[in-house]
Amino acid sequence: MQHVNSWRDVAAATGAADRAAAEEGVRRAYRTAGLAEPERIVWAPSPRAAVEIVEKLADAGRSVREEVRTRPWAEERRRMYDELGPAGWSALWSATGAQLWETTAALAERIRSGVVADLAPRPEDEGAVRLVLLDAVLGQHDAAWLAAFDGRGDRLTGLAEVARNAGWWWPYERAVVISERPGVLHRDEAGRLDHGEGPALAYGDGFALYAWRGMPVPAAFLAELAVLTPRRIREEENAELRRVMLEYYGYDRYLTESGAQPVHRDETGILWRIALDGDEDVVMVEVVNSTPEPDGTHRTYWLRVPPATRTAKDGVAWTFGLDGTAYAPVRQT
């Protein structure tokens, strides 16, 4: 569905919000919920800054998230479920919201975690920050469920307009706080935050998240990747960070430069093993493509295999979903 792609773009949108359009969406959402329009709308450069503003808001009244977002969504879902039936609703969700849910939900959770980490350095402070985050409407990161209702009524139009034009927002009786969208977003092919040369997600005020293939990493860690050595990799005590180092550095390069010795070789290739303290061994099979390249050379490939692999043949067989005893290719290609 074309509109699913448009909502995918909304979820990944970066750059300055369209403030006028977002504010009109807020007012419409309030009117649709039967509420008086908010007396004031305050903009924040990031979700982190928005939480700080909310914590200091005076005379804002109670949160109206229930009326503005939760109740309309639940009632529209019930209407569509009754109209389409269980199978119809399931098919609609599979074709729309389910296409976006995993990546947008994961991104929203990473933002929450980043806000808590920045604003609650002590465990005893986390509760207050999380309570404020519970009042947030996720704007562009509500794209998954908004996609499911797109074109099926106008009750959620206000919420959709805010989502298309801004980031997270906090609705209260007399005041609303709205966050700008991020200025930078880098993700891998699986939709995970991923960037080796700076923040994977960054807002205009400096609030940023650093990640490598979805795994959170410290900012200083990324700066070190460009000057890695086998010794530095071996000395890293954090097993997850060491795994990132190996992926970035390259397993084949690490084996070559660390003076590693093969543990087994046969007609299929060479088996290598990297022993890592506090983590499972990294085991790889080195194989040579028997088909020559245009220049006459033969390309070498490195295949990562399970740690329990004991022979090169077992490793190659595993990549084909076979047991070593059953692997007997007629010819190599």
Side-chain angles (χ1 to χ4, degrees):
M1 293 185 183
Q2 185 61 38
H3 72 271
V4 175
N5 290 329
S6 72
W7 280 108
R8 182 177 283 108
D9 292 341
V10 167
T14 57
D18 183 332
R19 294 192 173 190
E23 290 180 9
E24 181 52 40
V26 166
R27 296 188 184 97
R28 180 165 184 165
Y30 270 63
R31 293 194 302 268
T32 301
L35 299 171
E37 294 180 7
E39 298 168 7
R40 64 188 191 279
I41 297 176
V42 182
W43 281 86
S46 72
R48 179 187 65 186
V51 169
E52 292 179 304
I53 291 171
V54 168
E55 289 178 327
K56 299 173 184 176
L57 271 182
D59 195 32
R62 65 177 178 84
S63 170
V64 293
R65 184 182 189 278
E66 172 72 21
E67 295 94 320
V68 170
R69 193 276 197 189
T70 306
R71 190 180 301 158
W73 180 89
E75 292 176 355
E76 284 298 284
R77 181 185 181 280
R78 170 54 61 184
R79 180 179 68 83
M80 293 305 304
Y81 187 89
D82 291 343
E83 179 181 319
L84 300 174
W89 166 255
S90 179
L92 174 64
W93 177 253
S94 295
T96 56
Q99 306 295 314
L100 311 178
W101 176 257
E102 186 173 343
T103 54
T104 54
L107 180 57
E109 184 53 38
R110 287 284 286 111
I111 292 171
R112 288 190 194 94
S113 298
V115 171
V116 171
D118 274 15
L119 299 183
R122 301 181 305 170
E124 57 266 33
D125 297 330
E126 291 186 8
V129 176
R130 292 188 185 279
L131 282 175
V132 175
L133 288 168
L134 286 175
D135 287 339
V137 180
L138 301 188
Q140 68 181 121
H141 298 140
D142 270 334
W145 66 267
L146 287 169
F149 296 107
D150 196 355
R152 296 178 177 274
D154 59 5
R155 187 173 182 188
L156 304 179
T157 300
L159 294 172
E161 284 305 299
V162 183
R164 289 190 180 98
N165 294 288
W168 296 18
W169 56 291
W170 281 255
Y172 296 92
E173 285 180 296
R174 292 180 289 277
V176 169
V177 177
I178 312 180
S179 169
E180 286 280 353
R181 296 180 294 206
V184 171
L185 175 64
H186 296 283
R187 296 189 290 187
D188 65 11
E189 63 280 356
R192 302 171 299 183
L193 289 178
D194 177 47
H195 196 46
E197 300 176 357
L201 179 79
Y203 287 82
D205 63 347
F207 173 58
L209 301 176
Y210 296 80
W212 173 261
R213 296 181 182 175
M215 194 186 87
V217 298
F221 174 81
L222 291 178
E224 192 178 9
L225 291 179
V227 292
L228 281 177
T229 64
R231 178 177 179 180
R232 173 65 186 92
I233 294 172
R234 288 192 299 271
E235 290 175 347
E236 175 55 53
E237 296 180 356
N238 184 300
E240 290 187 334
L241 294 182
R242 188 169 56 223
R243 197 173 300 122
V244 171
M245 289 177 168
L246 280 167
E247 289 181 0
Y248 187 90
Y249 197 74
Y251 293 106
D252 52 345
R253 181 184 173 195
Y254 179 87
L255 287 168
T256 300
E257 297 183 6
S258 64
Q261 296 297 313
V263 295
H264 182 267
R265 67 176 70 222
D266 56 31
E267 71 280 5
T268 63
I270 305 172
L271 187 72
W272 301 82
R273 182 178 300 273
I274 305 172
L276 300 174
D277 292 338
D279 198 3
E280 64 181 20
D281 291 355
V282 172
V283 180
M284 307 193 76
V285 180
E286 177 186 354
V287 297
V288 177
N289 188 353
S290 61
T291 302
E293 299 295 310
D295 62 0
T297 61
H298 292 263
R299 181 174 296 182
T300 298
Y301 294 92
W302 299 79
L303 311 173
R304 187 166 181 182
V305 296
T309 304
R310 292 291 176 262
T311 70
K313 185 178 181 180
D314 286 344
V316 174
W318 178 84
T319 67
F320 289 99
L322 300 172
D323 181 82
T325 58
Y327 178 68
V330 175
R331 66 184 181 91
Q332 291 182 322
T333 58

